[in-house]
Amino acid sequence: MKKKIFIFFVTILVVILFFSGVRTNIIDELQLVTIVGFDRAEDDQFRGTVTLSAYSMEEELNNVTLSAVSTSTRELRLKLNAMSSRPIHGGKISAIVVQDELAKSGIFSLLDTYYRDPTIALKSYLCVTRGKAETMLNREFPLQTEIGTYLSDMLSHNVDYGNLPLTNMHLFMRAYYEKGKDPIMPILSYTENALRVEGMALFKDDRFVAEVDLNDSFYLKLIQDGYQHGGLIEVAMDQGEGVAVLREIRSNLDLKTDMDQNVIHIDVKVKSRISEYSGGLITEEKVKDIVEAAKANIASGIRDIVSLMQENQVDPIGLGARQLEKEKISEEEWYNAFQQMDVHVKVDVKIVESGVSQ
């Protein structure tokens, strides 16, 4: 009996000592960061800017920014904390944005610290921004309640229902480390009134080397993720006199690489509906014309995207990663072969609803 009592008290003591050493974070005692931005600065330094959520005396939510020039992300945190009345914490970061000029020189050292931080969600977005990130984060946009929520909701919306391929911090860093695959991230611009998605940035390792506009991002997403819903493509008709708009796209994709024949085979099946047509009534014959025009449009767009990838030796869809598993070749040998490959594209389009005419 005494032995059981002794073990009980020892157990209680161990539990008390264990939990007394655990560090706790109380939200009201922290300054939560929602977005981090990076810009190029002089002498191989960068400017880091963070947005914080703060409430006024009237309990209105305001965006507050802090900014400092630094040589490392660790030093940046130290400088930003020196300006804050409470400890700065990254547990609410929804996006990290990087100035386009800075992204062209490599960004791994900026992202690595955040990727390894367990308090930061791996689903946080990474973005390239036209112009300075600091300027963007200091803007007050009419559509926003809080800029972190505004930005993440806008990107989620464009991934789910628009032309943006799925991307976040985890997928970017995974592609960075994987042989035979290269990362991508959205490109943003901003005006006085709103943020805007411009397209996708293609990276070689951690350097921004090429870009795809928002319209052509449709083809990149088609061969990388595919569509289960959403998406939009405009098809020119009647020698450019009319246009048909296809929405609510569902797709299936078959990719094959034939190293012996030096050919990439891309087979795409698309189901969609015609939501708009500017050429009058949509007859059965007109639907057939729209289908043939859509096939040609999609095939041409895919070939142009793959050509851009070959020109810049980037592979965001991971053709090389698949091939390196099958062939005894190096990553360098794959990219050299990839540049010279022919691209054969086969497209099948099925219209499930003819929609309305204008």
Side-chain angles (χ1 to χ4, degrees):
M1 186 66 180
K2 290 182 179 179
K3 185 177 181 180
K4 289 183 179 179
I5 293 173
F6 175 76
I7 293 173
F8 173 76
F9 280 110
V10 169
T11 302
I12 293 297
L13 180 61
V14 170
V15 170
I16 291 173
L17 290 173
F18 175 78
F19 282 102
S20 65
V22 175
R23 183 178 178 180
T24 59
N25 288 316
I26 301 173
I27 291 179
D28 290 342
E29 297 177 357
L30 300 174
Q31 200 72 270
L32 296 176
V33 177
T34 57
I35 300 182
V36 181
F38 294 105
D39 295 302
R40 182 190 294 278
E42 296 180 354
D43 301 325
D44 296 324
Q45 298 185 99
F46 64 86
R47 176 173 291 278
T49 304
V50 297
T51 61
L52 311 168
S53 297
Y55 287 90
S56 66
M57 295 295 292
E58 294 78 20
E59 295 189 357
E60 293 180 350
L61 181 62
N62 297 312
N63 291 312
V64 178
T65 62
L66 297 178
S67 183
V69 174
S70 181
T71 57
S72 71
T73 53
R74 296 183 185 277
E75 182 187 22
L76 175 65
R77 289 188 180 188
L78 185 64
K79 289 185 175 181
L80 294 177
N81 268 297
M83 293 184 246
S84 176
S85 60
R86 290 177 288 177
I88 290 177
H89 194 275
K92 201 182 175 183
I93 290 176
S94 60
I96 298 174
V97 297
V98 184
Q99 180 193 23
D100 50 0
E101 290 303 315
L102 179 59
K104 291 175 182 178
S105 62
I107 58 174
F108 177 78
S109 61
L110 300 177
L111 301 181
D112 187 50
T113 300
Y114 293 94
Y115 184 62
R116 295 176 185 276
D117 189 337
T119 67
I120 298 175
L122 294 179
K123 291 185 178 181
S124 300
Y125 287 105
L126 303 179
C127 310
V128 169
T129 178
R130 306 281 195 204
K132 290 187 176 182
E134 180 188 18
T135 304
M136 186 186 85
L137 297 183
N138 275 292
R139 289 276 173 89
E140 290 289 338
F141 300 108
L143 290 176
Q144 80 181 51
T145 52
E146 183 274 312
I147 190 169
T149 302
Y150 172 37
L151 177 55
S152 61
D153 286 351
M154 182 186 70
L155 292 172
S156 293
H157 162 71
N158 279 274
V159 169
D160 291 341
Y161 300 103
N163 290 350
L164 281 191
L166 178 62
T167 179
N168 53 43
M169 187 190 299
H170 171 67
L171 294 176
F172 184 96
M173 297 302 286
R174 179 179 175 182
Y176 172 81
Y177 283 112
E178 186 174 4
K179 291 185 177 181
K181 190 172 183 178
D182 297 294
I184 58 175
M185 65 172 69
I187 301 174
L188 303 176
S189 65
Y190 54 90
T191 65
E192 293 291 340
N193 298 318
L195 293 172
R196 173 184 168 85
V197 179
E198 290 282 336
M200 296 301 296
L202 309 185
F203 281 73
K204 184 64 177 177
D205 297 324
D206 66 335
R207 292 177 295 105
F208 172 27
V209 296
E211 63 185 80
V212 179
D213 68 28
L214 189 59
N215 288 329
D216 290 341
S217 292
F218 170 86
Y219 308 107
L220 178 60
K221 181 170 183 173
L222 192 63
I223 58 177
Q224 177 173 299
D225 301 332
Y227 285 87
Q228 297 304 314
H229 53 75
L232 178 151
I233 180 174
E234 294 186 357
V235 180
M237 299 292 299
D238 305 320
Q239 298 181 339
E241 295 296 322
V243 63
V245 179
L246 306 186
R247 295 180 186 269
E248 299 302 323
I249 295 163
R250 287 174 289 166
S251 67
N252 290 304
L253 175 70
D254 185 23
L255 284 174
K256 293 180 181 178
T257 306
D258 189 333
M259 296 290 287
D260 295 329
Q261 298 296 321
N262 207 38
V263 175
I264 299 170
H265 295 280
I266 302 176
D267 187 354
V268 180
K269 292 180 173 61
V270 172
K271 291 183 179 180
S272 183
R273 69 179 181 89
I274 304 170
S275 67
E276 298 175 33
Y277 175 58
S278 64
L281 294 176
I282 302 179
T283 63
E284 188 173 333
E285 285 300 315
K286 185 58 65 176
V287 170
K288 292 180 180 179
D289 292 340
I290 293 173
V291 165
E292 292 304 313
K295 286 181 180 180
N297 184 300
I298 292 171
S300 175
I302 290 174
R303 280 192 289 267
D304 288 344
I305 287 294
V306 177
S307 177
L308 178 67
M309 290 162 50
Q310 291 174 314
E311 180 183 343
N312 292 278
Q313 285 196 312
V314 295
D315 184 3
I317 62 177
L319 285 168
R322 302 180 189 187
Q323 205 61 36
L324 291 176
E325 292 180 356
K326 302 176 184 178
E327 306 285 343
K328 293 183 179 179
I329 59 174
S330 67
E331 189 176 23
E332 183 179 359
E333 288 172 326
W334 155 250
Y335 279 109
N336 289 336
F338 175 56
Q339 276 191 310
Q340 309 301 323
M341 286 184 168
D342 293 326
V343 182
H344 292 179
V345 182
K346 180 182 178 182
V347 180
D348 179 65
V349 175
K350 182 179 180 180
I351 302 299
V352 296
E353 184 182 335
S354 60
V356 297
S357 61
Q358 292 184 347

